[in-house]
Amino acid sequence: MPLGFPYLGTFTHVMESIARGMNRDDLILPNEPTYRTKQLGSRHASEFVCTPFKIILGSLLEVIERGATQVIGTVHVDFCRLGYYAPLWKLILEDLGYTGDIICLNWFDKPDFFRNFKKLTGDLNAIQAFQAFRIGWIKNRYFDLVEKLLYSYGATEISKGSAKAVADKLNRTIVHTMGERNVRKLPRLIKETFKEEVEVDEKADPLKVIIMGELYAVIEPAINLYVMRKLNDLGVVAYTPITFRRWIDLGYRLNFFKRKQHDIAIKKAKPYLGHRLGGKARESIGCTIYYKEKGWDGLIHLYPFTCMPEIISRSILPQVSKDYDMPVLSLVVDEHTGEAGFQTRVEAFVDLLERKRNENDKNKVK
Amino acid sequence: MKKVGIPRALLYYKFSEMWTTFFKELGTEAVVSPKTTKQIKFDSVKNAPDEDCYSTKLYFGHVLALKDQVDYLFIPRFGSDHHTYVGCPKFIGLAEVLRSQIPDLPEIIMPHYNKAKSGHRKIAFFRKAYKVGLKFTKNPIKIIRAIIKAVKAQKNHYKTILIDEETLHKWERSETILNEPPRYVENERQLKIALVGHSYVLNDPYSALGIRTSLQEHGVDFITSEQMPRNLIDKQMDKLDYDLYFLYEREILGAIMHFMESKTVDGIIHLMIFSCGPDSIAGEVAARLSKRDPIVPLLQLVFDELTAEAGMKTRIEAFIDMLRRSEDEQTLLLTTKVHI
Ligand code: SF4
Ligand code: SF4
């Protein structure tokens, strides 16, 4: 049964790695969402469900078209709709006449989780499967590293597109690296490759912008219209602390010695938003403060249309921005977001940051 | 006497009894904002964030209506009162959003209670209520008595609105009426309709665009999702492959599923707020299930602050006409979802 899963930014590579590690070679890999994907998803979803739902559904339908008969989704209880995505997909796919398997992994129902997990693992036993999973989460760290370097080298690269080419190549290498010893050697390779193969303008002193907001809106370039690349093209370094790491990286989660950036952010957000309410609401607020203190120049906050938790943080962010003198640009994204308006707003924001920096410099000289 | 303002919006429609009793017992004056008016709506739309749902926007208007008359505002940050199921994230964030968006508000009392995600139990509820009480009196006995009375009042409130299965069956057999008595319409059969939606929509005539009166006028006998016996709701929810975890959405979907199965009503009207997160999920599930079993017509009305009352009236009329006609012509009706 060919296995398919929807496209989820760079996390797609992690899924692929885990599946391959579990001896699943009958994979139908998702393509980057296109205009058609968005259309396909919107057509079959209710119209004011959040945008991630539509695009992921579109992506799922595309892998099914291409022959997948076993697809994965997750179920959990949370404040937002994410936890009920998969059951709804199931209804929709059934109505469309799909007869394959839909595996809904539900971590809160342990027996069910393992039963379903077993279906995915092919012929491996539990320990081997766990090992594959573990390698997956370790690799996730390195995909994140590639991403981080890509959008930092990308700002000052001399020949446009060279960082992207290196990143693509490295991502493939990571997916196909087998064996824990080899995997552990990857970070060095990644750093060196970037240093050697991407030529950068050494004198440049780029602005630095943090990207925060709803998980999918941040990690999936198709919905945020490649905002990080856009920033790079304007000569700005972009970085996002948001990744899937918090969920799948058990090694990181169980490491009590490390102060987790996410916990720090939540603490900082406390005076503004004290309690958990789903999404990344508290992190968005906390990171505004955290990265201001670390000397970053501004923050772009992305959220999908009708997203519940992020509307809350979006309403509070202007105050945080004022209190801490950290410029924040909130952008709502959905499947209809126009390229032109989006580009203008990002450019205007970068202009503002530049002006602000110049003024600060002047003040310093005096 | 200190005055505590309680906005008449969102969860007020669930917990009004508990809150007003509590503050009265503490020896304060509980000031509830007036029913939604045109002015309140105007202020809401002007001051609330654009992308928010209509119901949350209305909350802003009610807060503005109160803010100059009271010493405190009571806006609890309510997560849920069930051990697994959750409410809407907006209930938790509201107090803090208001504080940051509207300057010069009186002090906001915002106890946080969340049984599902923060594991708060009875004792935490008690502790939090006690802390609120301390703001007004140092007398522990008075506070404890206030809490007990408040909880009792809430229980009584549930008793009055929730019906039991027996009453439901009586209603289904047209032996009793549960809401406004329907007007008698000559030569027309009396219709039975299930009206489902959030409490704060159903019970706020302004927000629901006067749907209850329209139904009454047209000789429709209706039941609301709020009144449905809880055990029936849970029974219906068990039929889903995956448990729906939005507390108040269960009531809505459960009511729809019950009547789709029992076929004891002529039609179901589902009031949906445009851009409401939980509604978008439950509404989709309902629509899909109804298409699979389309005997009882389901009308999903999606509306927001831009919807005019006239639009609602025409839709309702058309639906009622269709139901009356279908009786004679045996036409097969389909689920419809319309934006009004
Ligand atoms: S966080 Fe927002 S966009 Fe994401 S699933 Fe929840 S409501 Fe939808
Ligand atoms: S449940 Fe829906 S209507 Fe109610 S506050 Fe939340 S988003 Fe708004």
Side-chain angles (χ1 to χ4, degrees):
Chain A
M1 273 210 240
L3 174 68
F5 44 83
Y7 195 85
L8 293 167
T10 44
F11 192 67
T12 317
H13 304 306
V14 181
M15 307 251 268
E16 185 189 347
S17 307
I18 295 178
R20 289 204 193 282
M22 289 177 181
N23 283 348
R24 292 294 299 253
D25 283 320
D26 50 345
L27 292 180
I28 308 262
L29 291 178
N31 297 326
E32 272 187 48
T34 57
Y35 178 71
R36 180 179 177 274
T37 320
K38 297 183 191 176
Q39 289 286 318
L40 197 62
S42 319
R43 188 162 352 118
H44 296 289
S46 78
E47 76 270 61
F48 56 94
V49 69
C50 35
T51 314
F53 181 90
K54 298 182 190 171
I55 304 186
I56 305 179
L57 173 66
S59 180
L60 207 55
L61 288 170
E62 280 182 347
V63 288
I64 290 173
E65 266 171 14
R66 285 166 47 218
T69 55
Q70 190 180 41
V71 293
I72 331 177
T74 58
V75 195
H76 55 100
V77 177
D78 203 345
F79 280 115
C80 80
R81 290 170 262 191
L82 197 60
Y84 216 72
Y85 271 15
L88 210 49
W89 283 327
K90 193 159 173 240
L91 284 174
I92 295 175
L93 292 179
E94 278 169 10
D95 279 353
L96 288 173
Y98 169 75
T99 49
D101 237 357
I102 302 161
I103 296 184
C104 298
L105 295 174
N106 182 359
W107 183 243
F108 293 98
D109 182 353
K110 299 275 162 17
D112 188 60
F113 180 86
F114 286 108
R115 205 171 324 119
N116 278 326
F117 201 68
K118 192 88 196 62
K119 285 195 211 156
L120 292 173
T121 54
D123 49 0
L124 301 187
N125 64 29
I127 295 171
Q128 287 165 318
F130 180 77
Q131 179 65 4
F133 193 62
R134 201 172 75 94
I135 297 286
W137 86 53
I138 295 174
K139 282 185 178 178
N140 187 25
R141 297 174 193 169
Y142 306 148
F143 289 118
D144 287 351
L145 178 64
V146 171
E147 179 118 331
K148 180 176 168 184
L149 292 175
L150 162 62
Y151 292 114
S152 111
Y153 276 85
T156 50
E157 63 188 358
I158 286 174
S159 86
K160 281 284 157 218
S162 52
K164 176 85 178 107
V166 171
D168 287 344
K169 192 179 75 184
L170 284 171
N171 281 340
R172 284 333 298 164
T173 318
I174 303 176
V175 171
H176 291 290
T177 306
M178 294 290 168
E180 193 170 345
R181 285 247 308 283
N182 296 330
V183 170
R184 292 281 182 193
K185 285 190 200 127
L186 282 169
R188 254 188 64 203
L189 174 82
I190 295 170
K191 283 183 197 146
E192 275 164 12
T193 321
F194 265 105
K195 213 183 245 161
E196 277 162 22
E197 297 186 15
V198 186
E199 201 186 335
V200 292
D201 178 0
E202 302 285 350
K203 287 196 291 296
D205 178 19
L207 289 164
K208 296 189 295 181
V209 170
I210 282 291
I211 313 287
M212 282 300 298
E214 199 266 346
L215 175 68
Y216 187 77
V218 171
I219 60 147
E220 177 52 69
I223 177 176
N224 63 37
L225 304 173
Y226 298 88
V227 67
M228 297 182 69
R229 199 189 297 166
K230 283 202 167 80
L231 286 169
N232 272 184
D233 289 345
L234 295 169
V236 177
V237 170
Y239 171 65
T240 176
I242 290 184
T243 92
F244 275 91
R245 179 164 180 184
R246 251 184 68 212
W247 287 276
I248 81 154
D249 197 338
L250 297 179
Y252 173 74
R253 276 170 63 164
L254 299 178
N255 185 345
F256 296 109
F257 300 109
K258 230 177 179 140
R259 275 191 80 199
K260 289 162 192 107
Q261 183 258 348
H262 142 255
D263 294 334
I264 303 174
I266 283 182
K267 212 179 249 158
K268 293 208 186 286
K270 189 115 194 168
Y272 294 95
L273 195 57
H275 297 283
R276 171 171 176 182
L277 43 73
K280 294 266 165 302
R282 284 188 299 172
E283 285 99 312
S284 294
I285 290 175
C287 281
T288 311
I289 303 169
Y290 180 70
Y291 283 99
K292 170 73 194 182
E293 286 164 359
K294 285 190 125 192
W296 288 66
D297 297 289
L299 179 139
I300 292 185
H301 175 235
L302 299 167
Y303 64 102
F305 182 59
T306 79
C307 171
M308 301 178 286
E310 295 301 333
I311 288 181
I312 295 169
S313 54
R314 190 238 180 283
S315 310
I316 299 179
L317 272 171
Q319 193 199 349
V320 184
S321 162
K322 204 161 85 215
D323 290 355
Y324 284 86
D325 186 32
M326 173 77 154
V328 173
L329 172 68
S330 276
L331 289 171
V332 53
V333 289
D334 69 7
E335 69 273 27
H336 309 298
T337 313
E339 183 76 33
F342 196 82
Q343 178 78 20
T344 330
R345 297 192 61 186
V346 173
E347 273 170 24
F349 184 64
V350 172
D351 277 351
L352 176 120
L353 297 183
E354 244 155 37
R355 243 178 297 131
K356 190 158 178 261
R357 175 188 269 192
N358 289 340
E359 265 164 36
N360 282 352
D361 288 351
K362 251 189 253 154
N363 290 345
K364 254 181 233 154
V365 174
K366 271 185 222 157
Chain B
M1 202 165 22
K2 287 268 171 64
K3 288 183 181 172
V4 180
I6 306 179
R8 188 191 292 271
L10 295 182
L11 290 174
Y12 171 81
Y13 288 101
K14 286 264 177 219
F15 299 113
S16 54
E17 294 300 320
M18 176 157 85
W19 297 347
T20 44
T21 316
F22 179 62
F23 286 111
K24 268 190 204 124
E25 287 297 320
L26 284 175
T28 59
E29 191 185 337
V31 185
V32 181
S33 59
K35 292 224 167 88
T36 315
T37 57
K38 205 166 167 192
Q39 184 60 39
I40 289 186
K41 177 179 166 180
F42 179 79
D43 288 341
S44 311
V45 175
K46 205 169 119 210
N47 289 289
D50 261 352
E51 293 103 347
D52 245 332
C53 64
Y54 183 26
S55 310
T56 312
K57 282 186 185 166
L58 283 180
Y59 205 92
F60 278 70
H62 283 275
V63 167
L64 288 170
L66 281 172
K67 88 176 174 45
D68 298 326
Q69 309 170 18
V70 295
D71 306 304
Y72 296 95
L73 276 169
F74 181 64
I75 310 178
R77 290 178 285 183
F78 174 83
S80 96
D81 57 1
H82 185 279
H83 55 79
T84 328
Y85 308 134
V86 296
C88 175
K90 304 224 170 127
F91 303 154
I92 310 176
L94 251 181
E96 280 146 318
V97 168
L98 279 159
R99 184 178 60 186
S100 126
Q101 292 250 316
I102 306 179
D104 64 284
L105 280 186
E107 186 188 334
I108 303 180
I109 303 175
M110 42 171 153
H112 172 245
Y113 183 68
N114 192 344
K115 206 163 166 183
K117 289 283 173 184
S118 306
H120 291 154
R121 292 294 174 257
K122 267 202 191 111
I123 186 83
F125 173 81
F126 184 82
R127 209 177 53 231
K128 286 177 188 237
Y130 193 84
K131 231 167 141 190
V132 175
L134 279 180
K135 274 193 189 310
F136 302 99
T137 171
K138 296 266 166 313
N139 181 351
I141 298 182
K142 204 168 170 187
I143 303 179
I144 293 172
R145 204 173 36 201
I147 298 176
I148 293 174
K149 282 214 171 142
V151 172
K152 231 184 232 153
Q154 184 63 23
K155 276 199 183 130
N156 278 336
H157 171 67
Y158 280 138
K159 253 186 225 146
T160 44
I161 61 167
L162 289 178
I163 55 172
D164 54 15
E165 250 178 280
E166 206 175 311
T167 322
L168 176 67
H169 293 317
K170 256 197 196 153
W171 179 79
E172 289 175 332
R173 291 193 303 266
S174 300
E175 287 165 9
T176 176
I177 27 179
L178 300 167
N179 293 295
E180 295 89 329
R183 200 168 67 91
Y184 173 71
V185 186
E186 227 169 297
N187 296 331
E188 290 286 13
R189 187 173 60 96
Q190 197 185 67
L191 290 176
K192 291 185 111 53
I193 279 183
L195 179 64
V196 305
H198 297 276
S199 305
Y200 39 85
V201 178
L202 294 176
N203 297 316
D204 180 348
Y206 198 89
S207 157
L209 302 158
I211 191 168
R212 295 173 82 118
T213 2
S214 306
L215 289 179
Q216 190 188 5
E217 294 276 296
H218 284 99
V220 175
D221 182 14
F222 64 92
I223 185 173
T224 65
S225 49
E226 213 187 11
Q227 298 171 312
M228 291 294 287
R230 296 296 107 162
N231 56 333
L232 284 187
I233 301 266
D234 288 335
K235 210 155 77 196
Q236 287 299 332
M237 294 326 279
D238 286 344
K239 295 192 181 141
L240 291 174
D241 289 345
Y242 297 93
D243 220 10
L244 183 67
Y245 51 78
F246 287 118
L247 198 53
Y248 299 125
E249 223 57 45
R250 291 169 64 83
E251 174 177 308
I252 294 174
L253 187 58
I256 297 180
M257 288 170 66
H258 170 79
F259 287 112
M260 256 161 29
E261 187 185 279
S262 74
K263 308 198 175 33
T264 46
V265 292
D266 298 288
I268 307 171
I269 299 181
H270 181 187
L271 298 178
M272 293 166 79
I273 298 283
F274 180 74
S275 92
C276 166
D279 265 357
S280 71
I281 297 282
E284 180 76 15
V285 177
R288 301 235 160 228
L289 294 180
S290 155
K291 269 184 197 136
R292 291 176 188 189
D293 182 10
I295 308 249
V296 182
L298 169 69
L299 173 68
Q300 296 187 310
L301 293 174
V302 184
F303 63 101
D304 61 11
E305 64 271 20
L306 300 174
T307 311
E309 196 168 327
M312 175 70 99
K313 281 222 162 74
T314 1
R315 285 294 168 191
I316 302 284
E317 261 162 44
F319 186 61
I320 291 171
D321 276 353
M322 183 180 78
L323 292 182
R324 290 219 156 106
R325 244 182 305 126
S326 73
E327 177 72 4
D328 329 321
E329 297 168 8
Q330 296 288 321
T331 39
L332 187 66
L333 299 165
L334 289 176
T335 313
T336 30
K337 177 153 148 199
V338 285
H339 278 259
I340 45 174

